[in-house]
Structures are given as C-alpha cells and as structure tokens.
Amino acid sequence: MWLFNRKSQRKDEFEFEETLDSETVEVDSDSNEDCYFQISEIITDHNQTVKELLENYFEDPRLLLEEFQGDCDEWNEDSDILHEELLDDYWLILLLTLEKESFARRIYWRDNIEAVMKNLKQLKQLKEISLDERLSHCNHLSLVEFFECISKELQKMGIIIGTFELDDENVLIFTIVDRRIERFNKLINTIEKSWKQIS
C-alpha cells in the first residue's frame, strides 16, 4: 500500500509507506496530457469510456463539473471553487473522472473500516472478488493496519492498492495489477518532475 502525494502535508492516519521510484526515467510521452491518459489506461485496463470522457473533459472541464453537480448535492456547494481548479488542472480532472466511473473511491481520513470496505467493494476492479470472506481477518485492526492487511491479501492476487491525495481531508483509493506498477511509477515520476518545475 502506498500513497501518492501531491501536497506536502498529510494527516497521520494516511501516512503509508511510499514505493514510488525517485530515479530519473524516460517516458514515451510528448506531454503531461499524454501521461494522464496513460495513467488512466493503466488504472482502468484501457477502458474506452474513460478515455473518451477524459478527452472531452480536458477540452472543456465544465462538462465534468456539470455532471458532478447533477449527481451530487455536495458538489454544488463547492462548484465555484471546483470550477476555478478544474480549468487548468488536468490531474484533478483525471482523479475526479476515475472516481466518477468507480475506478477510484473517495475515503476520508476519519472513515472507519466499515466505510472503507464499502468503498472497496464499489471499485470496478474488485467487484468480482469476495472481499468480505477474503478480508474478514483484517476487520478488527486500526485503519492503517487494515490497509496493510488488505494490501497483502490483494497482492497475493496480483493487485496493488494505493491512494491519491485529493486534499487535507480525503484521498482516492484505487487498484492496479502489479505487472503494470513499474510503468505506472515512471509516469507518476514524470508528472511530479513537471510540477516541481512549475512551482
């Protein structure tokens, strides 16, 4: 289990071990936009619907905002802030699209294990797995220990679980198959370097 972190500060409860490589790597990508598409393909197993949605949202982020406003009252309260952020943030567009299409699920740092399990079961990549049976021995642990436990169990099936930070209150949990982790790490490193150049 690891946490990919764009911000510098985290809540203690979500400070998991990071396994991202920090070495210099070459990625066959002409732009960060292409990196985002490749990351999406790795997480979604080349889901064509997500790819088409990202193409539309990158071109006009207001489309994504409108869909979230229609689906959830909670988003309406923050629509002005989100609108400003989405206009020039492809990374946020990627994360929200993965969440909207259930390839990532939002968990809050105050969530209990039951809430996290509910979100895990809604991930498209885990829907065919009997999580209650396979992870029952993980249920009586602290949240950090719970993530370590489920991470070990899913790794036995060739699945890596990780989180992307959204803000100080919550993260997105997602899964990828372990054979794609090296490629995924290279893409993430490329994006991180571009952020450092901008900041």
Side-chain angles (χ1 to χ4, degrees):
M1 175 70 182
W2 48 264
L3 172 69
F4 172 65
N5 220 350
R6 186 163 72 166
K7 298 179 184 292
S8 59
Q9 296 181 345
R10 291 295 318 132
K11 301 290 183 187
D12 291 341
E13 287 82 353
F14 276 144
E15 288 185 352
F16 302 118
E17 177 182 359
E18 290 191 31
T19 59
L20 294 178
D21 300 323
S22 58
E23 63 190 54
T24 303
V25 293
E26 293 295 326
V27 175
D28 55 344
S29 170
D30 296 330
S31 68
N32 278 346
E33 183 176 333
D34 189 45
C35 284
Y36 298 143
F37 278 118
Q38 291 181 56
I39 288 169
S40 167
E41 288 173 353
I42 289 172
I43 292 175
T44 69
D45 194 22
H46 299 274
N47 184 281
Q48 190 63 30
T49 300
V50 172
K51 181 181 179 182
E52 291 171 2
L53 285 172
L54 284 175
E55 288 172 350
N56 291 333
Y57 298 152
F58 286 166
E59 186 174 335
D60 187 357
R62 291 170 298 183
L63 296 173
L64 176 59
L65 184 61
E66 287 169 6
E67 290 190 32
F68 268 117
Q69 286 176 318
D71 292 341
C72 181
D73 292 336
E74 172 182 334
W75 285 95
N76 292 332
E77 299 172 7
D78 300 323
S79 61
D80 291 339
I81 298 170
L82 262 180
H83 183 265
E84 291 299 320
E85 291 179 357
L86 285 175
L87 287 179
D88 60 355
D89 194 340
Y90 282 9
W91 177 249
L92 182 57
I93 292 171
L94 169 63
L95 296 189
L96 295 180
T97 303
L98 291 173
E99 179 185 13
K100 189 173 84 66
E101 295 301 306
S102 295
F103 287 99
R105 296 296 298 177
R106 183 180 303 240
I107 53 176
Y108 295 85
W109 69 269
R110 293 186 185 91
D111 276 349
N112 57 30
I113 288 173
E114 291 77 16
V116 174
M117 272 294 287
K118 180 180 177 183
N119 279 305
L120 279 173
K121 291 176 187 177
Q122 293 174 359
L123 283 172
K124 282 189 176 175
Q125 301 96 321
L126 301 181
K127 285 202 172 202
E128 304 302 316
I129 300 172
S130 301
L131 289 180
D132 285 328
E133 179 181 327
R134 189 173 287 271
L135 303 178
S136 59
H137 65 287
C138 301
N139 288 340
H140 303 292
L141 303 171
S142 70
L143 189 57
V144 172
E145 291 170 335
F146 172 77
F147 274 115
E148 291 172 354
C149 183
I150 63 175
S151 179
K152 288 176 185 174
E153 285 300 316
L154 292 175
Q155 273 189 298
K156 293 175 186 176
M157 296 180 284
I159 299 170
I160 303 294
I161 190 166
T163 56
F164 290 127
E165 181 182 43
L166 276 176
D167 53 42
D168 291 337
E169 293 294 321
N170 55 82
V171 297
L172 288 182
I173 191 167
F174 68 99
T175 60
I176 59 176
V177 294
D178 60 3
R179 68 178 181 274
R180 295 178 178 152
I181 193 67
E182 183 178 354
R183 177 68 179 160
F184 181 83
N185 285 343
K186 290 178 180 179
L187 290 162
I188 291 294
N189 283 328
T190 299
I191 289 174
E192 280 190 314
K193 286 174 192 172
S194 72
W195 288 338
K196 287 175 184 175
Q197 290 171 358
I198 293 170
S199 60

